[in-house]
Amino acid sequence: MNFAFSEEQTMMADVVRDLLARECGSAALRSRMTTACSFDRDRWRKLLELGLAGVLAPEDAGGLGLGGTDFVQIAEACGHACLPEPLVDYAGVVLPLLAECESDAAREMLAQGLETGAPIALAHPQTPWIVAANAASAFVLPGPDGLRLLAGEEVRRVQQPGIDPLRQLFTVSAEEAAGAQIAAHEAMPALLARAAERGAVFTAAELVGIAQACVDLAVAYAGERQQFGRAIGANQAIKHHLASAQVKIEFARPVVHAAAACIPAGPGFPPQSLETRARISHAMLAAGEAATLAARTALQVHGAMGYSWEVDVHLYLKRALSLTHRWGGPEHHRQRIAERILTAPLGPDRLFPQVAEEIETTPMKRTA
Amino acid sequence: MDLHYTDEQKAFRAEVRDWMSANVPADPLPSFDGGRAGFEAHRDWEARLNQGRWGMVTWPEAYGGRELDLIRWLIFEEEYYAAGAPLRVNQNGIFLLGPTLMEYGTQEQKARFLPPMATGEEIWAQAWSEPQAGSDLAAVRAKAVRDGDSYLLSGHKIWSSRAVMADWAFGLFRTDPASERHKGLSLILFPLDAEGVRRQAIAQINGETGFAELFLDEVRVPVGNRVGADGEGWRICMATAGFERGLMLRSPARFQMTARRLVELYEANRETCTAAQRDAVAEAWMAAEAYALSIYATASRLIAGGSIGAEASLNKIFWSEMDIQMHETALAILGARAELLPTASAAGDVGRWLDGYLFSLAGPIYAGTNEIQRNIIAERLLGLPRG
Ligand SMILES: Cc1cc2nc3c(=O)[nH]c(=O)nc-3n(C[C@H](O)[C@H](O)[C@H](O)COP(=O)(O)OP(=O)(O)OC[C@H]3O[C@@H](n4cnc5c(N)ncnc54)[C@H](O)[C@@H]3O)c2cc1C
């Protein structure tokens, strides 16, 4: 039992953080805000040059064959930087999904993705708006007879204007028979379900990153801004707001990390037990609440500045709003928690449930 | 990262489980704050635990422990609370003074005080607060006047938990009469039955005498009862407070068990429960899980050589607020019955929720109020300017 990251894992995340600090600062973000497509191909290329696309893809397909705990801190860093490009979806969800599809077309697409970084978008029933479809050159779409892989030209994209100025949202559709089938109808629900688990874990990590960025922005501002002859951060009301936001973050982060440990390395699939589903949902809920509170707090601490376009707080607030509703949304996740606590054994020895099963600890009696 | 227990850890869990199931009293003990009988029953339980060498599993063997790491301590706690074992009447000793002595005490002090602490022969109280020194603990006025090889302790301590029946206390005293604030303070151990100690029980919100006022009038103790150097009291007490807020005092298993009981209460009253109550129950369960995961992460960090500082304040806020949320949810589910004592004929399954609710309300006050914890987080963790 060791609930800590390895040095390699932390080093890898540090490298990503450094790159994002250079390539995805406030000025860089703002330079793309007025463009029709905020996807920055140059930054995308630099990120993928670090080998990030294949973190979770199997080694025999050219990936690194690593697991959720190897990627979760990277996803958090992407959230912290408010990265416009959907790297987290790409490396965390889309490529692992392609790797699970038993078809040549999927394998080729995966290889191409790993090699060239060709953006591929997934239309998943639990995330109705597709991020950055305007930059995607290929699409994975569920159809009546299974999952299909389509080229960009085969897909109709309708932009759905949204609040996040750094990401464009779309709905997409295609002819039923267009593209190649990459998974049969019967295999599709399980593939999509696993994609949703991965999506939720890494989105939760992004949300924790967003939350921390909000507190960081507000702390910096509160140390500088002077009112009544002193820094506003010297006032307890400001301190206590920020401390409360930090508490929320600190008790979301370990849940997200434990949820990431549910995504195994290599070709294994995230197990679909009640317990792992609940842990992943817990991660989404806790991270979403932390991000929402932290963004609201940051806005309040900045005063009217926080309400202005000029300060970055709104970028995080909007991203948080967008991410909390992906992969099912809070009510869906609350349902899954309820299902777990009302039907599976509870107690301190169920914290790491796969383990409890292994050692056949007698589940504690449930009194009716 | 590896979230699997080793074979040894699994075997250890089984060992604790077996011992607990053979030894935990079938009926809950009477409250240790309710009178001598309950207090002594808890002392007996401490002795029994110690016979099994379960008193403090992390302590060195010489002092009655097993020298186990923090992961095993967590496993022990999980099995302890799952078995419904009694609360620890000597918590101020084993969780606060114990670790403090381990770090700052002399060999003689450890040999003298730790073994009877482990067996429950000597139950400890914490004597820090004074009428004028609450949150502002540095305003302590009680003094220790040097007289040859002795100190003469005088002053007025208050809110000292268990002090009505405890045997010893560790107090914060001004050893330098000219000093102010954080300087010139020392941590000194004194027997509560010594000449010059007058104890006055204080009834708590539930009517039980859970804490006491202590009036000290030239209580003579040897200089060897001072822990750490003269004037080092503040620094040492802050380390003790870290143990209190941080890891030891509130291990996660207790809240995980409360969450489980809450789910059971919800199930038993399902027909009358609302969707909002279901969500509140889920919230409580998630909070207990989050707290446990966070403590596992902290334990892993400490085992790898890390330390815990102001982060302890994050824990203290989280567990105290979680405890209130859990009990409020239980009372909401009980509805009109929430105000009934278990002895009422219409009480049904009210259990001890009301009692627990009242106690949960003390959580944001003791061990440093949550306002003070938020100040600490803001200033020491986030780096905001001091007010
Ligand atoms: C159940 C229980 C058990 C206890 N056991 C012990 C014990 O065993 N030994 C012991 O020594 N003490 C014990 N205490 C005392 C406890 O440590 C004090 O109650 C605590 O430190 C707060 O001090 P106070 O009660 O004097 O409140 P005060 O300091 O008077 O505070 C009153 C209110 O003002 C707020 N406040 C004060 N200063 C500030 C500030 N700078 N910024 C913002 N808000 C502020 C506080 O947060 C609080 O809300 C116990 C208390 C309780 C409730």
Side-chain angles (χ1 to χ4, degrees), chain B residues 85-288:
Chain B
L87 294 177
R88 307 295 299 268
V89 66
N90 208 8
Q91 60 182 25
N92 288 312
I94 55 182
F95 297 145
L96 303 184
L97 182 60
T100 307
L101 283 177
M102 224 78 83
E103 200 160 326
Y104 300 99
T106 61
Q107 273 316 318
E108 296 76 56
Q109 287 172 333
K110 292 184 209 177
R112 161 65 188 86
F113 292 111
L114 291 174
M117 186 187 291
T119 57
E121 276 161 81
E122 288 174 354
I123 308 278
W124 286 82
Q126 176 188 25
W128 292 7
S129 302
E130 297 179 8
Q132 300 310 321
S135 298
D136 186 11
L137 188 59
V140 156
R141 290 182 196 166
K143 58 185 182 185
V145 178
R146 185 73 184 252
D147 181 33
D149 287 340
S150 307
Y151 280 121
L152 295 175
L153 310 178
S154 297
H156 182 182
K157 295 289 180 181
I158 195 167
W159 315 128
S160 187
S161 297
R162 304 302 93 68
V164 180
M165 286 170 277
D167 307 293
W168 278 77
F170 52 104
L172 191 56
F173 294 92
R174 207 161 277 291
T175 38
D176 175 359
S179 69
E180 278 183 21
R181 308 289 304 156
H182 313 84
K183 300 201 181 73
L185 297 169
S186 297
L187 183 66
I188 299 175
L189 315 177
F190 61 99
L192 283 165
D193 60 0
E195 201 179 320
V197 177
R198 187 164 66 82
R199 317 185 211 191
Q200 179 85 51
I202 307 176
Q204 293 186 326
I205 203 167
N206 62 359
E208 292 186 347
T209 47
F211 40 39
E213 257 175 304
L214 301 172
F215 300 92
L216 309 179
D217 182 16
E218 302 205 327
V219 179
R220 185 175 291 275
V221 297
V223 169
N225 282 16
R226 189 189 68 224
V227 181
D230 188 5
E232 281 288 278
W234 181 263
R235 197 171 63 83
I236 295 172
C237 285
M238 289 308 103
T240 308
F243 301 130
E244 185 172 17
R245 292 163 197 155
L247 221 45
M248 290 276 166
L249 184 66
R250 290 290 177 263
S251 67
R254 183 165 165 175
F255 301 105
Q256 289 170 293
M257 288 306 293
T258 307
R260 196 180 104 178
R261 279 192 291 274
L262 187 59
V263 172
E264 287 164 359
L265 183 73
Y266 171 83
E267 283 174 330
N269 293 275
R270 209 161 174 172
E271 309 83 72
T272 54
C273 281
T274 63
Q277 284 165 351
R278 185 209 70 174
D279 287 348
V281 170
E283 200 65 52
W285 177 79
M286 284 190 277

Side-chain angles (χ1 to χ4, degrees), chain A residues 62-238:
Chain A
L64 298 179
L66 299 175
T69 53
D70 298 292
F71 190 60
V72 68
Q73 296 189 98
I74 295 170
E76 192 176 325
C78 294
H80 195 275
C82 210
L83 179 70
E85 293 76 37
L87 175 75
V88 171
D89 283 0
Y90 189 63
V93 183
V94 179
L95 296 188
L97 170 66
L98 285 175
E100 285 182 15
C101 292
E102 314 239 334
S103 90
D104 289 342
R107 253 187 295 274
E108 275 161 33
M109 191 70 240
L110 173 62
Q112 199 190 326
L114 289 173
E115 206 176 301
T116 67
I120 310 162
L122 165 68
H124 192 285
Q126 284 178 308
T127 54
W129 323 131
I130 296 156
V131 171
N134 46 352
S137 52
F139 287 81
V140 177
L141 252 60
D145 61 343
L147 266 190
R148 302 196 77 81
L149 178 67
L150 299 97
E153 317 79 76
E154 294 172 302
V155 172
R156 278 186 304 279
R157 317 167 200 199
V158 178
Q159 185 163 358
Q160 306 290 340
I163 191 79
D164 185 343
L166 293 169
R167 286 182 158 187
Q168 290 80 48
L169 307 177
F170 295 82
T171 46
V172 299
S173 57
E175 298 298 330
E176 267 184 25
Q181 183 177 316
I182 55 171
H185 179 73
E186 308 75 59
M188 189 166 70
L191 287 168
L192 289 176
R194 290 199 289 265
E197 303 301 349
R198 292 194 180 93
V201 168
F202 300 128
T203 300
E206 275 190 279
L207 282 162
V208 167
I210 288 170
Q212 192 61 64
C214 289
V215 170
D216 293 351
L217 278 176
V219 165
Y221 186 75
E224 278 165 25
R225 167 74 175 163
Q226 303 273 322
Q227 284 293 280
F228 300 99
R230 62 176 188 171
I232 57 165
N235 296 298
Q236 270 194 356
I238 298 286

